[in-house]
Amino acid sequence: MSRIGKQIIRIPSGVSIKLTDERINVKGPKGESQRSIPSCLSIVEKNDNSLQILRKDESISSREMHGLFRSLVSNMVIGTSNGFTKILELKGVGYKANIDKKALNLAVGFSHPVRIEAPPGIELSVENNTTIKISGIDKEKVGLISQQIRSIKPPEPYKGKGILYKGEVIQLKVGKSSK
């Protein structure tokens, strides 16, 4: 049995869950999120403000979906109550970022600035020109947009310049040695 799928999802105060046969709607102070329920799973709402994901059968596909769907529902509950945040740092001489009408402008060593539009549900903010904060209620979207921004100029191993996640450490390589 799935160890993750067996775990109970605690529902914090301020978050409401609406269950139908095909969909789950989660509404909280940060926003609202919904997802369709796979036909091989069912959701049971307990009296002590918690949810449990159960399998209808023991097929391979339902066992595969059990832990995944439990994690997705848990992320929906956490996202609507607290939200998710990723922080990126710019390292390099002249590297800077700014926000212009919900779009992120990056100057990262190219001959032109790079412009990135914020998708719906994602909020971008820049602090002190070198720190980009990405926040939203959907963990998947926050991670995806942060990875897209990072892929514009990934950190290089010789000087460590580029766009890094906060707290990320780049193992620097030794340069050429002379004889």
Side-chain angles (χ1 to χ4, degrees):
M1 180 161 224
S2 172
R3 292 181 183 162
I4 294 174
K6 288 194 293 191
Q7 295 175 1
I8 293 173
I9 302 169
R10 302 273 178 225
I11 302 170
S13 61
V15 175
S16 64
I17 305 284
K18 184 178 178 186
L19 288 172
T20 62
D21 289 339
E22 300 109 21
R23 298 198 75 72
I24 178 170
N25 293 341
V26 181
K27 189 173 184 180
K30 296 275 185 178
E32 187 174 347
S33 182
Q34 58 184 346
R35 186 172 293 273
S36 61
I37 301 171
S39 60
C40 58
L41 299 176
S42 64
I43 299 177
V44 176
E45 192 168 9
K46 298 193 172 189
N47 294 336
D48 58 344
N49 286 337
S50 63
L51 294 175
Q52 188 171 16
I53 312 294
L54 300 173
R55 294 193 297 247
K56 292 182 180 175
D57 58 9
E58 293 298 317
S59 67
I60 293 174
S61 63
S62 65
R63 288 185 299 185
E64 289 172 346
M65 288 296 294
H66 192 201
L68 170 70
F69 192 71
R70 188 256 173 221
S71 295
L72 293 174
V73 172
S74 176
N75 287 340
M76 288 170 58
V77 170
I78 294 168
T80 55
S81 62
N82 300 332
F84 293 101
T85 302
K86 291 256 185 187
I87 298 175
L88 298 173
E89 296 175 338
L90 301 174
K91 289 204 176 168
V93 177
Y95 287 15
K96 60 183 176 179
N98 60 6
I99 296 287
D100 181 37
K101 297 179 185 173
K102 288 194 172 187
L104 178 67
N105 292 324
L106 296 173
V108 286
F110 297 125
S111 61
H112 55 84
V114 179
R115 184 175 172 87
I116 299 167
E117 296 287 332
I122 299 295
E123 185 179 316
L124 300 172
S125 63
V126 175
E127 300 161 5
N128 65 25
N129 288 339
T130 59
T131 305
I132 303 166
K133 186 176 178 184
I134 303 151
S135 57
I137 63 168
D138 190 356
K139 186 176 186 176
E140 185 177 354
K141 282 185 182 178
V142 170
L144 182 65
I145 192 71
S146 63
Q147 196 281 325
Q148 288 174 348
I149 293 171
R150 185 181 186 272
S151 69
I152 291 169
K153 193 75 165 187
E156 54 97 9
Y158 293 102
K159 292 184 180 178
K161 297 186 337 180
I163 302 173
L164 296 87
Y165 291 111
K166 185 175 183 175
E168 182 180 10
V169 177
I170 300 299
Q171 188 82 27
L172 296 181
K173 292 183 178 178
V174 180
K176 246 184 190 180
S177 61
S178 61
K179 290 187 175 186

